[in-house]
Amino acid sequence: MERELLLLKEKCLKCTKCALSKTRHNVVFSDGVANRNLVLVGEAPGYYEDKTGVPFVGKAGQLLDKIFECVGLSRKKDVYIMNTIKCRPPDNRDPLPSEKEACREYMDAQLEILKPKIILICGNVALKSLLDTGFGITKVRGKWFDGPYGSKMMPIYHPSYLLRNDSREKGSPKWQMWQDIKEVKRMYDEIKG
Ligand code: URA
């Protein structure tokens, strides 16, 4: 599994399939541990990710780490983290359909190699690419869906949305995220056995 991912990463680092390859500083392939249990798919690299080549290292990433830590999970031990798009769209605009199309093979291949039992779909961009139900994230978050390779997929809020919605009151996005991550941990423990 590691060797296959490494070969794919080498290919991805050289990719020039779309115009984002001209403006990127680094391809942002993945972080965390290659594993068959838990994978999170985010949207696209931002400023700090483009600078470092590591996904989710800016403010949103730091919040994501805290959310995992709350239930005893971490990217160092338990989670493989990747994005739908591997290169930063200028000014953090949403990726264009043509960019998503060009990058799709890498995301699909990562999932195919890992065949994870749980896929967390983080935010609307990943949702549209992986599970186009026609509904936005607020409607489908926290629900389990059947994914490829017998996986279970759960859409969850993107941490940058939580940074813009700071309330922890019952029913707020942060409160909902807390319910969702507890459910993720429950399923994680169940499938890990
Ligand atoms: N937002 C994402 O979706 N991915 C990152 O890597 C950083 C911010």
Side-chain angles (χ1 to χ4, degrees), residues 121 123-147 153-155:
I121 301 174
N124 267 319
V125 170
L127 179 63
K128 271 209 180 139
S129 288
L130 284 169
L131 182 74
D132 205 356
T133 58
F135 292 107
I137 198 83
T138 46
K139 272 263 156 47
V140 295
R141 58 134 277 275
K143 299 188 198 319
W144 289 112
F145 294 85
D146 291 329
M153 305 201 291
M154 183 194 279

Side-chain angles (χ1 to χ4, degrees), residues 26-29 43-50 54-56 83-89 92-93:
N26 284 290
V27 172
V28 181
F29 185 74
E43 298 190 352
Y47 176 82
Y48 291 102
E49 291 76 22
D50 178 58
V54 183
F56 283 105
N83 281 312
T84 310
I85 298 288
K86 309 303 188 224
C87 298
R88 182 190 182 210
N92 296 347
R93 62 159 169 72

Side-chain angles (χ1 to χ4, degrees), residues 28 41-46 49 54-58 60-61 81-83 122 158-160:
V28 181
V41 183
E43 298 190 352
E49 291 76 22
V54 183
F56 283 105
V57 287
I81 296 183
M82 56 187 262
N83 281 312
C122 186
H158 195 284
S160 59

Side-chain angles (χ1 to χ4, degrees), residues 118 120 144 154 180-188:
I118 299 174
L120 298 180
W144 289 112
M154 183 194 279
D180 297 349
I181 200 69
K182 282 190 291 186
E183 170 57 18
V184 168
K185 179 62 164 47
R186 188 201 64 72
M187 181 67 89
Y188 179 84

Side-chain angles (χ1 to χ4, degrees), residues 1-175:
M1 169 164 77
E2 276 89 357
R3 168 127 190 92
E4 277 176 281
L5 286 169
L6 198 64
L7 291 174
L8 181 68
K9 180 175 179 179
E10 279 168 11
K11 182 177 170 195
C12 190
L13 293 185
K14 289 188 239 144
C15 181
T16 55
K17 282 173 73 184
C18 82
L20 297 182
S21 61
K22 297 201 179 82
T23 49
R24 74 177 177 227
H25 294 98
N26 284 290
V27 172
V28 181
F29 185 74
S30 72
D31 194 29
V33 276
N35 75 93
R36 299 225 180 273
N37 296 314
L38 185 56
V39 168
L40 177 133
V41 183
E43 298 190 352
Y47 176 82
Y48 291 102
E49 291 76 22
D50 178 58
K51 247 187 146 166
T52 57
V54 183
F56 283 105
V57 287
K59 270 200 173 161
Q62 288 161 26
L63 177 56
L64 183 67
D65 285 343
K66 276 196 202 148
I67 291 166
F68 279 128
E69 272 164 31
C70 282
V71 290
L73 295 170
S74 83
R75 73 164 91 190
K76 285 214 168 70
K77 298 186 281 97
D78 315 296
V79 194
Y80 182 86
I81 296 183
M82 56 187 262
N83 281 312
T84 310
I85 298 288
K86 309 303 188 224
C87 298
R88 182 190 182 210
D91 303 319
N92 296 347
R93 62 159 169 72
D94 278 352
L96 304 173
S98 59
E99 293 159 355
K100 288 200 260 184
E101 188 51 40
C103 214
R104 173 110 214 169
E105 70 165 281
Y106 300 111
M107 177 176 70
D108 285 349
Q110 281 170 299
L111 294 175
E112 162 99 45
I113 293 166
L114 290 163
K115 295 188 177 54
K117 296 189 190 117
I118 299 174
I119 301 173
L120 298 180
I121 301 174
C122 186
N124 267 319
V125 170
L127 179 63
K128 271 209 180 139
S129 288
L130 284 169
L131 182 74
D132 205 356
T133 58
F135 292 107
I137 198 83
T138 46
K139 272 263 156 47
V140 295
R141 58 134 277 275
K143 299 188 198 319
W144 289 112
F145 294 85
D146 291 329
Y149 326 109
S151 61
K152 295 268 168 223
M153 305 201 291
M154 183 194 279
I156 57 171
Y157 285 134
H158 195 284
S160 59
Y161 178 67
L162 301 177
L163 288 171
R164 298 193 299 270
N165 291 275
D166 205 38
S167 163
R168 283 162 197 270
E169 261 177 50
K170 194 169 175 189
S172 68
K174 272 197 168 166
W175 179 87

